[in-house]
Amino acid sequence: MLNNKIRNPFPMIGKVFKYEFKSGTRIILPLYGAMIILALICGISFSDALYELSNTTFKATVGSIFGCTFFAAFLITLVVIEKRFKKGMLEEEAYLNFSLPVTMTEHIIGRLLTFSVWFLMYVAASFVSCIMFMLCNIEWKDFASELSDFLRRFYEEFGIKFASFFPLIVLYGLSLALLVVMYIMAVNAISHLAKKNRTLVASAAAIILMIAYINIFKVTINSTVFAHGGNFGVFVTDTVTVHADNVKLLFKLTWKMISLNFAAIVINVIATQAILKYRLNLE
């Protein structure tokens, strides 16, 4: 009897992931490709060989576009996942999706998994873009030397290896990005509790959830910093001057924020799936 009630959720999550990934990648891949191409154009325009020939306005324009592309690429990725959520869970595709043998939680996790892969693709595209820009201005041999020197100086100043620091920052960025996505999903779901004035309900929900998270964020930071005998302002100032103790505290604080982000994601997933399952008012 128990075996009939418990089923493996991963095949259905995989199907949701496959469908959402295929639907959004038609926009995402060209966008990330454009980042790399712009990095190449920007790098060439700033290279020594063309530095005198390139128009200053052209260099400034290309550089600004290149910088804005990083922000725009991430923002568009958020918009794509939000549009896919609304279309698939709250609008015309909702009736079809809800008729499938897929639970609400599997729908949500599949979409979060899709965004996670897109985020890692974004990080990889950003990294490749920076490499492309630098290689337009320095030789391979010099690049390897500069990179080795950077890694050595990073370890000497901070007391940690960059190979340990970078994955932690990526994990924090991923947890924060997933929280933003889940925050948007939760706000959209809450707005559909109302039959009228959904924009007003969504605005109120967005403000309340944001205030709640900011307060929790402040309490977490202050409790961690105060436990080490300081305050946040002094902590930030001292971290800039690079004290070993503050670097360790920064690592501890980052892990706490990652844990807090994922805890908030779980709470939002539970609340959103409950709304979609029991209280949804589809038009």
Side-chain angles (χ1 to χ4, degrees):
M1 186 74 174
L2 184 61
N3 291 333
N4 293 331
K5 292 184 178 180
I6 299 176
R7 69 182 179 87
N8 182 6
F10 294 106
M12 290 303 175
I13 291 175
K15 289 182 179 180
V16 173
F17 166 79
K18 183 178 179 180
Y19 179 74
E20 294 299 322
F21 185 80
K22 185 177 180 181
S23 298
T25 302
R26 288 174 294 183
I27 300 174
I28 299 300
L29 281 182
L31 180 66
Y32 295 167
M35 288 175 58
I36 298 174
I37 293 173
L38 276 173
L40 184 61
I41 294 173
C42 190
I44 291 174
S45 69
F46 277 87
S47 64
D48 292 336
L50 296 179
Y51 188 81
E52 297 296 333
L53 298 177
S54 298
N55 183 275
T56 304
T57 303
F58 171 76
K59 291 199 291 282
T61 301
V62 173
S64 299
I65 293 174
F66 176 57
C68 291
T69 302
F70 283 92
F71 176 75
F74 180 72
L75 186 62
I76 291 173
T77 305
L78 283 177
V79 171
V80 169
I81 194 70
E82 189 269 340
K83 292 296 183 184
R84 288 298 310 155
F85 174 78
K86 287 188 71 175
K87 186 176 181 180
M89 304 296 286
L90 301 174
E91 295 176 354
E92 58 263 31
E93 292 183 10
Y95 293 103
L96 174 62
N97 286 332
F98 293 162
S99 68
L100 299 174
V102 184
T103 66
M104 293 297 179
T105 303
E106 290 165 354
H107 274 297
I108 295 171
I109 292 176
R111 285 164 171 78
L112 291 179
L113 183 60
T114 301
F115 180 77
S116 298
V117 174
W118 286 345
F119 178 83
L120 295 177
M121 289 169 59
Y122 168 79
V123 172
S126 300
F127 183 76
V128 171
S129 297
C130 293
I131 297 296
M132 293 290 288
F133 176 82
M134 288 186 289
L135 287 178
C136 288
N137 293 275
I138 58 177
E139 297 292 336
W140 270 105
K141 191 179 296 185
D142 295 332
F143 174 75
S145 177
E146 290 286 341
L147 179 61
S148 177
D149 186 56
F150 167 77
L151 295 175
R152 178 184 56 78
R153 285 187 285 106
F154 187 92
Y155 179 76
E156 290 175 353
E157 292 183 11
F158 293 95
I160 56 172
K161 293 182 178 180
F162 185 77
S164 301
F165 172 77
F166 184 72
L168 180 64
I169 296 304
V170 172
L171 181 60
Y172 173 74
L174 176 61
S175 69
L176 186 60
L178 285 173
L179 179 59
V180 172
V181 169
M182 205 57 242
Y183 166 80
I184 294 171
M185 289 185 181
V187 168
N188 279 317
I190 291 171
S191 70
H192 274 252
L193 289 173
K195 294 183 178 180
K196 298 180 180 180
N197 300 320
R198 287 182 176 175
T199 302
L200 181 62
V201 173
S203 300
I207 293 172
I208 292 171
L209 289 176
M210 182 63 70
I211 292 174
Y213 184 76
I214 289 175
N215 284 323
I216 294 173
F217 175 83
K218 286 181 179 179
V219 169
T220 302
I221 289 181
N222 288 332
S223 63
T224 304
V225 176
F226 288 157
H228 287 73
N231 61 68
F232 185 65
V234 173
F235 165 69
V236 172
T237 303
D238 287 349
T239 301
V240 173
T241 60
V242 189
H243 292 291
D245 290 339
N246 279 342
V247 172
K248 292 179 181 178
L249 177 57
L250 182 61
F251 260 68
K252 183 176 181 180
L253 189 59
T254 303
W255 276 115
K256 274 198 171 185
M257 294 310 303
I258 291 172
S259 301
L260 178 64
N261 288 343
F262 278 114
I265 289 168
V266 171
I267 292 172
N268 281 318
V269 167
I270 294 173
T272 301
Q273 72 88 24
I275 293 171
L276 295 177
K277 186 175 182 180
Y278 299 110
R279 298 289 183 181
L280 185 61
N281 289 308
L282 289 176
E283 294 178 347

